[in-house]
Amino acid sequence: MGKQFPEISAKLRAFIEAQHLFFVATAARDGRVNVSPKGLDSLRVVDAHRVVWVNAVGSGNETAAHLLDHPRMTLMFCSFDAKPQILRLYGTARAVHRGDDGWDELLGLFPEFVGARNIFDVAVDLAQTSCGFGVPLMDFVSDRDTMSDWLVKKGDGGLRAYERQHNLVSLDGLPTGLPA
């Protein structure tokens, strides 16, 4: 049975910090809904009502575009080990880009993160757990090196060019707010 909580308790925080993967869902008022898996060491629980996560340069930038239109965001965490559980965090978020006020402070919450493109600052107003009985049992092997290898190989100039080509508008043609 699902339970709702007005904040991220110490128990929920420990659950979040134990996960190697989370999912992000956003949607503009019109157009496609976006759900993205996120891994690596890219999320921090700041306090009982705030989570931040860093996003690297990638094939799209839907999350940032959606938040400019409508700031709602849902984060979902699933336990794939012996104790099943799903946790969803509901709230509103804002994208912080390189050069924005707060970028350096937020980026400082993470180890060196090559290719950081956005940091999403989420104000959480509801946490909800559910059983997770239908989630398969799986073992974590390791994070992939593929993304970090690609980011390093591109270099800073190559990443900025890639962003200009692939990350300034969403699939639905919405601006992402990323500085050109």
Side-chain angles (χ1 to χ4, degrees):
M1 171 170 275
K3 294 181 182 176
Q4 295 181 349
F5 305 92
E7 63 184 27
I8 302 167
S9 66
K11 183 177 176 180
L12 294 178
R13 181 179 187 146
F15 176 77
I16 291 167
E17 291 172 349
Q19 305 315 306
H20 298 282
L21 170 72
F22 65 99
F23 299 87
V24 177
T26 57
R29 283 178 261 242
D30 295 312
R32 293 168 178 83
V33 174
N34 187 64
V35 180
S36 294
K38 302 295 176 185
L40 308 172
D41 188 12
S42 62
L43 183 134
R44 296 290 181 273
V45 177
V46 177
D47 61 39
H49 294 280
R50 186 172 173 221
V51 172
V52 296
W53 60 276
V54 62
N55 195 28
V57 174
S59 58
N61 199 7
E62 301 304 296
T63 303
H66 290 169
L67 294 180
L68 286 175
D69 184 64
H70 200 286
R72 66 191 166 187
M73 180 181 284
T74 300
L75 303 176
M76 185 178 78
F77 306 84
C78 299
S79 171
F80 295 100
D81 60 18
K83 185 178 180 199
Q85 183 171 320
I86 296 171
L87 169 64
R88 290 177 183 87
L89 301 178
Y90 299 94
T92 56
R94 68 183 180 97
V96 180
H97 304 288
R98 282 182 310 279
D100 288 351
D101 287 341
W103 171 264
D104 292 333
E105 176 188 345
L106 292 173
L107 192 60
L109 297 173
F110 302 92
E112 182 179 354
F113 206 95
V114 176
R117 174 183 63 195
N118 329 82
I119 299 171
F120 295 98
D121 192 344
V122 187
V124 177
D125 58 40
L126 177 67
Q128 179 181 345
T129 60
S130 55
C131 68
F133 293 168
V135 175
L137 271 172
M138 295 190 291
D139 291 325
F140 175 75
V141 176
S142 70
D143 287 321
R144 296 178 192 266
D145 295 330
T146 311
M147 184 172 187
S148 60
D149 291 348
W150 180 81
L151 293 165
V152 168
K153 184 178 177 183
K154 278 279 196 201
D156 195 52
L159 290 173
R160 299 301 79 80
Y162 187 90
E163 285 179 333
R164 286 189 299 276
Q165 184 175 3
H166 299 284
N167 294 164
L168 297 182
V169 295
S170 72
L171 290 170
D172 295 317
L174 299 172
T176 65
L178 196 65

